[in-house]
Amino acid sequence: MIRDQETLNILLDTISRFVRERLVPQEAHVAETDQIPPELVAEMKELGLFGLSIPEEFGGMGLTMEEEVLATFEIGQTSPCFRSLFATNNGIGGQGIVIDGTPEQKRDYLPRLASGEIIGSFALTEPDAGSDAGSLRTSARRDGDHYVLNGTKRYITNAPEAGIFTVMARTNPDAKGPHGISAFIVEKGTPGLSLGNIDKKMGQKGAHTCDVIFEDCRVPASNLIGGKEEVGFKTAMKVLDKGRINIAAICVGVAERMLADALRYAMERKQFGKPIAEFQLIQAMLADSKAEIYAARTMVVDAARKRDDGRDVGTEAACAKLFASEMCCRVADRAVQIFGGAGYLSEYGIERFYRDVRLFRIFEGTSQIQQLVIARNMIRAAGE
């Protein structure tokens, strides 16, 4: 749903210009240093990027899902590490509070998330609980006015920079699977909370992950999201449905950037006396990429509109995430092939994108998990 097309166009133009003029020139520097320059972070805050989807009453822009994915398409025209820094505030790091938080929790945390004063992080995955999130072992035991958390979370995006963590922990040890899981807001600096070393990753340098460790970490009972126990898994699934649409959108944006780079190179690079873009086998790779990007973009917008209409989009979100992430990796592979030997060199940047986008098929639900979600939803619907 687009509320005001003119206002949205201004926002999209502003983001596009920021990406083109400020972020793209810094891609190689960030990849080399594994750090996003502080001045760029300050500009992201000034533009309101940390609060794109946080309600206006709490200082955000309150974008609808459709408006947000259109903005994400523009943000995707550069290294995905930039988006990663502010996307958790708009997505998995903040949406648990937006969707299910108490009025007090919303009032206390959402304005700071919207401004970028604090970074939100989503702590679900554990050493032995990733795709099988229902098997998580992190525990939360009630002790007076507090809960005592113990456990370790792994591969947690933005954990090194986070000011708050949305933590999934088991409050009912007797409940099996996803039952008995509750969601908590844990602030940075809480005694008993510590971080592991920053992970050395295959790609997405500048976007940091690490272990988050809880050792008798005392969290106020008022920080139980929604004020209710044993509904944390449902909160996580609501958050992930939205997150999966956003991941699909960033896949589209990055794929569009890679295809534009590949097309430009193909038109400039000459072999046998003419640009390689004139060779039919190169044209086939360009055409296949264009068609798949168009299909993915259409899926993302459709899923976003359905979510704005208040519909259950679990299946559509999984379909979009599955198709778009797999598509993005195919486009990356074709782009490297079109670049040829140059595509294997770091100076051209396409090899960096090739490594960066591989993550899209893994986080917020692997492609295989999306297949299971889609099939199970189909079977359930057929039996109703």
Side-chain angles (χ1 to χ4, degrees):
M1 177 178 64
I2 295 176
R3 299 165 299 171
D4 185 309
Q5 189 66 59
E6 184 177 354
T7 301
L8 178 61
N9 288 342
I10 293 172
L11 173 63
L12 297 181
D13 288 345
T14 300
I15 293 175
S16 178
R17 185 168 60 254
F18 176 65
V19 167
R20 184 174 61 254
E21 296 177 359
R22 299 293 292 136
L23 300 186
V24 171
Q26 292 292 324
E27 289 172 349
H29 173 74
V30 171
E32 291 169 4
T33 63
D34 197 24
Q35 295 291 332
I36 298 174
E39 61 270 21
L40 289 184
V41 178
E43 290 179 52
M44 291 176 187
K45 293 178 181 179
E46 186 176 348
L47 287 174
L49 297 183
F50 285 86
L52 291 175
S53 66
I54 293 176
E56 292 178 272
E57 63 184 295
F58 300 109
M61 292 189 188
L63 297 187
T64 66
M65 191 76 247
E66 182 176 2
E67 292 169 340
E68 188 176 352
V69 298
L70 293 176
T72 302
F73 292 155
E74 298 299 329
I75 294 164
Q77 303 296 316
T78 186
S79 170
C81 75
F82 294 116
R83 170 198 169 271
S84 183
L85 182 63
F86 59 81
T88 51
N89 282 28
N90 294 296
I92 57 177
Q95 284 301 308
I97 302 173
V98 172
I99 295 171
D100 285 337
T102 65
E104 294 77 18
Q105 290 165 354
K106 293 178 180 181
R107 185 186 64 244
D108 290 346
Y109 294 107
L110 292 184
R112 289 187 284 161
L113 288 168
S115 68
E117 176 187 341
I118 56 174
I119 304 295
S121 189
F122 184 72
L124 172 63
T125 301
E126 298 182 359
D128 294 318
S131 295
D132 181 15
S135 68
L136 67 82
R137 297 180 181 178
T138 297
S139 63
R141 175 178 54 83
R142 184 70 183 254
D143 182 21
D145 293 332
H146 289 77
Y147 284 88
V148 180
L149 273 61
N150 282 282
T152 298
K153 300 295 185 177
R154 182 148 292 173
Y155 314 132
I156 305 305
T157 301
N158 285 343
E161 293 80 22
I164 61 170
F165 300 84
T166 296
V167 182
M168 299 296 155
R170 192 172 295 280
T171 47
N172 183 351
D174 298 323
K176 296 181 179 180
H179 304 290
I181 295 174
S182 303
F184 297 88
I185 303 167
V186 183
E187 297 186 7
K188 175 184 178 181
T190 301
L193 167 64
S194 62
L195 304 178
N197 295 326
I198 294 177
D199 298 320
K200 295 180 179 180
K201 307 189 305 301
M202 175 182 181
Q204 297 218 17
K205 299 298 177 63
H208 302 143
T209 65
C210 72
D211 284 3
V212 181
I213 304 153
F214 303 94
E215 297 176 299
D216 291 332
C217 180
R218 294 181 64 83
V219 178
S222 59
N223 281 24
L224 174 67
I225 292 183
K228 297 180 181 179
E229 290 188 359
E230 300 190 46
V231 294
F233 194 81
K234 292 181 180 179
T235 296
M237 292 305 102
K238 294 175 191 175
V239 168
L240 287 174
D241 277 349
K242 183 177 189 296
R244 286 165 180 171
I245 296 174
N246 262 319
I247 294 299
I250 195 69
C251 287
V252 170
V254 177
E256 289 177 338
R257 163 66 186 280
M258 292 188 294
L259 180 57
D261 287 352
L263 175 60
R264 186 180 306 110
Y265 183 83
M267 294 175 69
E268 295 172 353
R269 173 66 168 164
K270 292 184 178 180
Q271 288 291 285
F272 305 103
K274 58 183 178 180
I276 63 173
E278 295 186 18
F279 298 128
Q280 290 182 338
L281 293 180
I282 297 295
Q283 291 176 356
M285 288 190 283
L286 293 170
D288 284 349
S289 296
K290 180 69 174 180
E292 290 191 47
I293 291 171
Y294 175 61
R297 176 183 270 263
T298 302
M299 291 174 70
V300 171
V301 172
D302 178 69
R305 287 173 176 170
K306 288 178 178 176
R307 187 178 187 277
D308 283 339
D309 288 340
R311 297 169 61 177
D312 181 353
V313 293
T315 299
E316 288 83 355
C319 286
K321 202 272 184 179
L322 171 64
F323 184 83
S325 61
E326 294 287 338
M327 170 279 295
C328 191
C329 287
R330 289 192 294 270
V331 171
D333 187 71
R334 294 183 193 119
V336 171
Q337 196 69 14
I338 290 170
F339 271 80
Y344 208 69
L345 303 181
S346 60
E347 66 181 281
Y348 286 87
I350 199 66
E351 63 83 29
R352 182 183 68 246
F353 278 106
Y354 183 86
R355 289 182 287 108
D356 286 347
V357 304
R358 187 58 182 83
L359 180 61
F360 293 147
R361 294 164 60 193
I362 299 173
F363 70 170
E364 296 198 32
T366 64
S367 291
Q368 288 68 41
I369 289 298
Q370 306 310 319
Q371 290 172 318
L372 293 178
V373 169
I374 295 164
R376 288 172 181 172
N377 287 352
M378 291 171 62
I379 295 168
R380 186 182 303 112
E384 291 178 352

